[in-house]
Amino acid sequence: MQRKPLALAILLSCAGLAPAAHADDAKLKAEVEALRAEVAELRGIVQQMQAQRAQAPASTAPAAATAVASSAPSAAVSAGAPAASIAAPQAPTTTAGQPLPGTGSSGLALGANTSLWGYGQIGYNRPTNSAGDTRADLSRAVIGFNHVFDEATRVYGEIEWEHAIASSSDQGETEVEQLYVEHTLAPNYGVRVGLVLVPLGLLNEHHEPGYFYGVERNFVETAIIPSTWREGGVAMYGNTESGFNWNVGIGTGPNLGAWDPAADEGRASPLGSIHQELQLAKARDLSMYAAANWQGLPGLQLGGGVFTGKIGQGDAALPVNRSRLVLGEAHLRWQPGPFDISALYTRGTISNTQDLNLQFLGQPTPVPKSFWGGYVQGAWRALEWGSNSSLAPFLRYEMFNTGAAYAAQPQGLGTPALPTQRVWTLGANYYLNPSVVFKIDYQKFRYEDLVLGYGNRFDLGLGYQF
């Protein structure tokens, strides 16, 4: 009875079949077990990444600040830091790679999904020809917050206090500078709804003291582009792998009916005097904007944008219903090695102002037909101490005119154009560390106008962000 199985085994062994089948089964079983182990490991990694992404305020929390990814004067991630990039914080980005407007450095985590940050600025301004007008001021103090609802949705806001004290008898004020909900629709684009910064220029979206050179923000991006300029509405943003990012939106606009021809505000900043900041904003006439930047080469940023819309807001008491604002700008920023070179040009027009200015005859500040400005700036990271401190001297030249032309009027009643202001600013930013900067500069003006703050002066400043 045992000979047949033994003989069969010997026959199969000789044929080489039994051992081969057994070996194949063992090999197959080993491969299956290995695959199971790899799948289990991959599942664990994915679950861990999902948990971390859901918990971290990541793409949202202000990570740090360089001008740019977008601002020191700049706007987008690799385009980077102020000249002293060794000390200037890096600008955070959204999941679509867009720079987060106005964020501080690393922020303070209050929990898995909530973070706080802030920034502030103190300045000392001493006119060389009018020492009695010397001023020291806590220009601003800002607290920002970010809360992540889920991996695609967050709320972002900033509250600002200006000039130390806000009351009915003081010049300070409290304001909401930004407040919007952002939702990521895909890895490279998303949508924001609320009070958002208009994405024009190098400064408006990123205006913290570590992002710009000099004690005060430049005149072109305050007098012509009224930084910080914000509007309520809906915006979409996105980017591409080639380094192109974009931002388009629709929402509120300025209110020309609020123009005060007896005040100096319109001469200081035509749009700054009538932008509504979403304070019970008249919204019959909506505006649109579109902006784009290209950063396909390391250290280079090229961009521009346009804002347009009717600004009469249905005011029946004034002939403003046909008036339209168009403001455009183009900018460049290049950061080769220790150098930081930037340039910007902007121009705005307000149409159909003839009839309105006829009602303002005899008043000092009619509505301009056009206004413009531009600057070039160069900075150099000259000295570095360790990995935190650096010194960046800079030079900036600005030209701007808030009343370059006025609509034609009957002979003898027209308004002559304002003279073009020219300003040289020479100074330095000393970055004690990525979050604290000391500043010094001297500004020389072509002509003096102390009412508007135009006059040769010496400035000192301190800024921080966290």
Side-chain angles (χ1 to χ4, degrees), residues 16 57 61 77 110 122 157 168 198 223 256 415 424 439:
V77 184
L110 298 183
I122 299 174
S168 59
V198 177
L256 187 55
T415 302
W424 286 94
K439 304 184 179 185

Side-chain angles (χ1 to χ4, degrees), residues 189-237:
Y189 65 91
V191 61
R192 295 173 183 150
V193 180
L195 180 64
V196 299
L197 294 175
V198 177
L200 295 187
L202 294 171
L203 181 65
N204 195 58
E205 284 191 292
H206 295 274
H207 44 261
E208 292 74 15
Y211 292 160
F212 59 88
Y213 298 101
V215 176
E216 307 296 341
R217 298 166 181 173
N218 71 74
F219 285 97
V220 173
E221 293 185 272
T222 51
I224 308 302
I225 300 174
S227 303
T228 53
W229 181 12
R230 59 259 192 197
E231 299 289 351
V234 179
M236 290 198 68
Y237 63 88

